[in-house]
Amino acid sequence: MGVADLFDSLRPKSETISDGVTLLRGFADSGAVYELMQQVARHAPFRNQITPGGHIIKVATTNCGALGWTSGPGGYRYRPDDPETGLPWPAMPAQLANIATEAAEAGGFPGYHPNACLINLYAPGLKLSSHQDKNERDRRWPVVTVSIGVPATFQLFGDSRSGKPINILLQDGDVLVMGGASRMAYHGVKALAAGQHPLTGDKRYSLTFRVT
Ligand code: SIN
Ligand code: FE2
């Protein structure tokens, strides 16, 4: 075991970051998640959506579950069909839903049954600007994020869009639960640093589960 791995193994498996925010290190079996995600992407390929203002969203996305998060000239919205294919989004694999349910429970939200899962694909250098997840109608439930591949720094800003964030390193298999008092917290992801992961190469994936 190298020194970095040794320090990693000494970090707590479950950590309360702030009110309603729990980090579960290595909670998900990333090999299994990666395989299921590839199956989703065979039916609903990753694509670059366009913001309502006409800009390309460089982080590529797809969805699984009853509803999928979409962006276009008409705004941001959840819809049951994939606008690229006209087909319903692929069903949410039970194994993925279970990870989200168990993580939410570990974070203090028992009985979580997400009906939407947005999957983001980050190439090196891509970031996600600070935002709130506010397109969901039901804010009682947390957003649960599973990270796969190259590590990224998640930034939790809180009540205001900018300022000094709490930086959270999200590594392969880590799960972040964000709900309760922090459900509407501003957050973002720093530009993906160069890295290599045996499953994903130089990429990072995040699966964000929601109830909407
Ligand atoms: C998001 O906030 O929608 C995604 C967060 C992440 O990729 O970890
Ligand atoms: Fe978000």
Side-chain angles (χ1 to χ4, degrees):
M1 193 187 275
V3 174
D5 290 334
L6 175 64
F7 276 103
D8 225 44
S9 70
L10 293 173
R11 301 174 96 170
K13 287 279 167 252
S14 171
E15 188 180 339
T16 303
I17 305 286
S18 72
D19 194 2
V21 183
T22 305
L23 171 59
L24 302 163
R25 292 197 175 85
F27 191 86
D29 173 349
S30 66
V33 172
Y34 182 75
E35 192 44 51
L36 291 165
M37 190 171 69
Q38 293 306 316
Q39 286 175 31
V40 167
R42 277 197 278 279
H43 296 278
F46 284 97
R47 78 289 309 266
N48 292 105
Q49 299 197 85
I50 310 292
T51 66
H55 297 285
I56 291 176
I57 302 177
K58 290 183 184 157
V59 174
T61 60
T62 187
N63 291 279
C64 64
L67 293 169
W69 184 86
T70 64
S71 175
Y76 302 117
R77 67 183 180 104
Y78 283 95
R79 46 189 287 175
D81 58 316
D82 178 349
E84 293 282 318
T85 63
L87 298 170
W89 296 106
M92 192 185 300
Q95 211 181 332
L96 292 184
N98 286 341
I99 293 169
T101 300
E102 286 168 17
E105 175 147 14
F109 302 93
Y112 182 66
H113 295 290
N115 60 352
C117 174
L118 167 66
I119 310 176
N120 289 327
L121 166 54
Y122 296 81
L126 297 189
K127 64 168 186 166
L128 202 60
S129 302
S130 181
H131 66 280
Q132 295 170 298
D133 294 344
K134 59 180 180 189
N135 303 123
E136 301 73 26
R137 280 172 298 131
D138 190 337
R139 313 254 172 96
R140 286 170 303 172
W141 295 104
V143 173
V144 172
T145 304
V146 177
S147 292
I148 302 294
V150 173
T153 302
F154 183 95
Q155 301 196 293
L156 184 63
F157 291 94
D159 291 340
S160 51
R161 181 178 291 275
S162 56
K164 194 176 181 303
I166 298 175
N167 289 321
I168 307 167
L169 182 66
L170 295 180
Q171 295 178 283
D172 183 59
D174 288 355
V175 181
L176 189 72
V177 179
M178 195 170 117
S182 297
R183 175 60 183 78
M184 298 310 292
Y186 280 94
H187 60 280
V189 178
K190 279 177 88 166
L192 190 68
Q196 276 295 325
H197 185 274
L199 280 177
T200 67
D202 60 2
K203 309 285 195 298
R204 169 181 186 256
Y205 296 84
S206 69
L207 298 88
T208 61
F209 296 86
R210 299 116 192 272
V211 175
T212 191

